[in-house]
Amino acid sequence: MAAPHSPHSLVPHRLRVLAGHEAFAGSLLILVAALAIALANSPLAHGYHALFHAPLPWTPIAKLGTLHLWINDALMAVFFFVVGLEVKREIVAGQLADARQRRLPVLAAFAGMAIPAAVYAGLAGGDPVLIHGWAIPAATDIAFALGVLALVGPRVPAPLRLFLLTVAIVDDIGAVLIIAVFFTGSLKLGWLVIALCLLAVMLALGRARVSHAGPYALAALAMWYCVLHSGMHATIAGVVAALAIPMAGPKPALLERLEHALSGWNTYLIVPLFGFANAGVALAGIGLVGLLSPLPLAIACGLVIGKQMGIFVAIWVADRIGFARRPAGASWAQIWGVAILCGIGFTMSLFIAALAFPDYPLLVEEAKLGILGGSLVSAVLGYAVLRFAPAPQANAR
């Protein structure tokens, strides 16, 4: 029997994992988000916020003085590390390794980031403070989107499921680049130089065919500490470290072993804990006017309208001009449903919102409303379209 992560079985294995676990993972995120909102609007609200934002009595790293900072800057670095492992695997031996196969998902992901940002800017761009949130609706939450897709069942053809996974991976790459380029403060070159030296050490370990995880883990942890103090967001270290993990050597490769070992922790602990710590928003006194204020409205419209418009139009144009064929066996209605699901922006959108408005906590709360509302509408509408979409006709183009 082939190893579960051998290069020739990466995609089928990934699809089997999604079919078995993504529905539960998506349901878990919905549960923690609902619990966070319930606590933030209950008599326990003060305790909920104090749990994450009150100064810790002791911390080994001065820059991480609250539990919220430990989750967002430390645990989320592990999340980004797993994202980086998945990205490298797809580039080396997956759907992004073949130029012909990556044309459509790369084009769709780019349009699915640019159009939501444009929709957001059109609605909120007149405010010099709000314009900093332009990237919030550009991200897709892979666990939520694939979780909803799993609830639809086998009605959605496997190539379309794989297309959604690949678009979400390219989307993650774009989100990481946005964080690195647009949400980096003044750099402290000394710390950055040390981080680059540690990256060189990791690359040298790979060239020397070191296949034990220990040396890489120590170098990656030290690099994260340096990046934390460098002015760049610490989570960038997770992605960069992952790209230095080798896929060559004995099978399964170290990259595959690490991804397999960490993906469960990522899905069932880190992301739900991040959601629980960040999704709680107080709804008292908001009303319809608050929901329709420029920031939440711009985010929700970017997710619900911008995402589906960008991705669906990109696929339609690419198919019509012969640049790339649409996913095999999928009707246009099914493709539209998947494009709508890409408007679920929970994890990465919440993360970018905190980076976009670090000095405006009230704006972060408003952003949460837009993210949760837009993601909920995208999830329900996408599920409904996919549930009732007709199968493609045999001769349909």
Side-chain angles (χ1 to χ4, degrees):
M1 184 174 64
H5 289 284
S6 64
H8 300 292
S9 63
L10 286 174
V11 171
H13 171 75
R14 183 60 172 154
L15 288 176
R16 288 195 299 272
V17 171
L18 292 177
H21 299 289
E22 289 299 337
F24 176 76
S27 300
L28 180 60
L29 286 181
I30 295 172
L31 177 64
V32 297
L35 180 59
I37 294 173
L39 287 174
N41 293 276
S42 75
L44 300 175
H46 177 75
Y48 166 78
H49 289 291
L51 173 64
F52 294 109
H53 297 283
L56 295 171
W58 178 84
T59 177
I61 301 176
K63 290 182 70 68
L64 304 182
T66 66
L67 182 58
H68 187 265
L69 289 173
W70 272 102
I71 292 170
N72 283 29
D73 289 357
L75 282 184
M76 286 300 285
V78 180
F79 166 81
F80 279 93
F81 180 75
V82 177
V83 168
L85 293 175
E86 188 171 58
V87 166
K88 181 171 181 177
R89 174 173 55 76
E90 290 293 330
I91 291 174
V92 173
Q95 289 296 296
L96 299 179
D98 188 318
R100 292 170 299 179
Q101 289 182 313
R102 66 174 174 251
R103 281 181 182 178
L104 188 61
V106 169
L107 175 65
F110 178 79
M113 299 182 80
I115 302 303
V119 170
Y120 176 95
L123 292 173
D127 189 316
V129 175
L130 296 186
I131 193 60
H132 292 293
W134 63 270
I136 296 172
T140 296
D141 190 288
I142 187 170
F144 252 138
L146 292 171
V148 175
L149 197 65
L151 294 175
V152 180
R155 296 176 61 89
V156 179
L160 189 55
R161 292 171 179 265
L162 181 59
F163 173 78
L164 175 59
L165 171 63
T166 311
V167 168
I169 291 171
V170 179
D171 197 294
D172 283 341
I173 297 174
V176 169
L177 291 175
I178 287 172
I179 293 170
V181 174
F182 296 100
F183 296 105
T184 293
S186 57
L187 295 177
K188 298 178 182 178
L189 293 181
W191 286 107
L192 195 58
V193 168
I194 299 174
L196 291 173
C197 291
L198 289 164
L199 174 61
V201 170
M202 295 185 69
L203 293 172
L205 289 170
R207 294 182 69 87
R209 297 187 178 277
V210 175
S211 59
H212 296 289
Y216 294 96
L218 290 174
L221 184 61
M223 183 168 67
W224 167 81
Y225 183 83
C226 292
V227 173
L228 178 67
H229 291 81
S230 71
M232 296 186 71
H233 198 273
T235 52
I236 298 299
V239 177
V240 175
L243 298 180
I245 302 297
M247 274 197 70
K251 298 298 179 182
L254 177 60
L255 183 145
E256 296 163 329
R257 286 187 276 125
L258 286 175
E259 184 183 2
H260 180 70
L262 294 173
S263 60
W265 291 97
N266 221 23
T267 301
Y268 301 118
L269 176 64
I270 295 174
V271 172
L273 185 56
F274 170 83
F276 182 61
N278 288 272
V281 54
L283 302 176
I286 292 177
L288 184 60
V289 175
L291 291 173
L292 297 180
S293 61
L295 180 57
L297 181 64
I299 293 172
C301 288
L303 289 171
V304 176
I305 300 173
K307 270 290 184 180
Q308 62 172 296
M309 181 187 300
I311 292 175
F312 184 82
V313 171
I315 298 171
W316 187 85
V317 170
D319 185 75
R320 286 292 182 251
I321 67 175
F323 178 76
R325 294 296 300 272
R326 71 178 191 254
S331 67
W332 284 113
Q334 290 172 324
I335 291 172
W336 178 42
V338 164
I340 296 171
L341 287 187
C342 289
I344 302 174
F346 184 74
T347 304
M348 198 70 79
S349 293
L350 287 173
F351 191 81
I352 294 175
L355 298 178
F357 306 115
D359 300 322
Y360 300 92
L362 291 180
L363 290 183
V364 174
E365 296 300 299
E366 287 189 14
K368 292 178 184 179
L369 286 175
I371 294 166
L372 295 171
S375 297
L376 178 61
V377 171
S378 295
V380 173
L381 181 59
Y383 174 83
V385 170
L386 289 170
R387 177 66 180 81
F388 298 105
Q393 297 178 0
N395 297 323
R397 279 272 299 128

